[in-house]
Amino acid sequence: SEPLVPINEVTSPDPDPRVGLAAGLFDAEETIWNLEMLSQTPPPTDFLGVTNSDLAFKDNYAIQGNYNGFIVWDISNPKNPELVVDFLCPESQSDVSVYTNLLFVSGEGLGGRIDCGTEGVPETVSADRLRGIRIFDISNIEEPEYLANVQTCRGSHTHSVLEDPNDDENVYIYVSGSAPVRPEDELPGCASALPDDDPN
């Protein structure tokens, strides 16, 4: 294969080879430029055809967020990723972050359940609904343990993990939610007023 060079030192192909490619789930036509394909590993059955949202890394593992939960791959050999665990826990968006032995997973949709059930949440107001952050212990990454969740008013479309260099007792998560505000009956304290009208 040709050596890879920085993107600012190459000229893009003309005409663009992506134009006119045929669609498909696992048989789509493809093209590649200035990259080398190492693997095309299909997902486990429960994750087939479901949106992949995000990636996080810990040691030799890649943690792949998906609207049906998350998948852990051992990428010690990048040409042959090995499935470690697929954790079925439906919720959009399932963006993922790792901090030491903790895995944080965003949840924003109306159908995600606290218990990771696959039946959804049909009620308008429900104590079973998860909209916020799921927290897992991945000390044993082959058996993630669901520790807790933090419910938020708009859920968590995505999030950022922050450390305070002067505080080794806490980790901070900045949550970005874009869904409608939850009803007061579902999560007390939530309000949809503009900040000028309600500073709380």
Side-chain angles (χ1 to χ4, degrees):
S1 64
E2 297 180 12
L4 301 180
V5 295
I7 193 75
N8 61 346
E9 295 180 14
V10 294
T11 305
S12 26
D14 188 22
D16 188 332
R18 298 170 296 180
V19 174
L21 290 176
L25 185 56
F26 292 113
D27 58 351
E29 290 182 335
E30 59 187 60
T31 185
I32 193 166
W33 167 65
N34 203 39
L35 296 169
E36 179 184 352
M37 176 67 71
L38 296 180
S39 168
Q40 290 183 342
T41 306
T45 304
D46 285 335
F47 296 81
L48 278 171
V50 181
T51 301
N52 294 310
S53 60
D54 197 14
L55 290 172
F57 299 91
K58 176 178 174 56
D59 303 324
N60 56 313
Y61 300 103
I63 301 165
Q64 181 179 13
N66 176 287
Y67 278 29
N68 265 0
F70 62 90
I71 306 167
V72 179
W73 300 96
D74 184 334
I75 55 171
S76 300
N77 177 358
K79 292 186 177 182
N80 187 27
E82 293 183 17
L83 177 67
V84 175
V85 66
D86 54 328
F87 199 101
L88 184 62
C89 189
E91 176 68 283
S92 64
Q93 178 95 2
S94 290
D95 279 11
V96 289
S97 292
V98 171
Y99 173 78
T100 64
N101 289 323
L102 296 175
L103 170 66
F104 302 105
V105 183
S106 282
E108 182 178 58
L110 298 176
R113 298 180 57 86
I114 290 174
D115 63 5
C116 290
T118 59
E119 64 271 30
V121 184
E123 299 85 11
T124 304
V125 173
S126 174
D128 297 325
R129 181 172 285 119
L130 179 283
R131 288 179 68 196
I133 296 285
R134 300 185 196 272
I135 305 170
F136 293 86
D137 180 346
I138 54 171
S139 299
N140 177 358
I141 202 160
E142 294 179 8
E143 296 181 15
E145 181 185 352
Y146 189 178
L147 296 178
N149 64 73
V150 178
Q151 298 277 13
T152 67
C153 291
R154 289 186 182 271
S156 174
H157 186 81
T158 191
H159 64 272
S160 298
V161 176
L162 304 170
E163 291 180 70
D164 180 341
N166 300 315
D167 179 0
D168 59 3
E169 296 293 321
N170 295 288
V171 61
Y172 300 88
I173 301 175
Y174 173 77
V175 175
S176 175
S178 57
V181 173
R182 296 167 88 160
E184 168 80 16
D185 292 346
E186 186 169 278
L187 187 62
C190 293
S192 58
L194 293 173
D196 289 344
D197 299 327
D198 183 354
N200 296 316

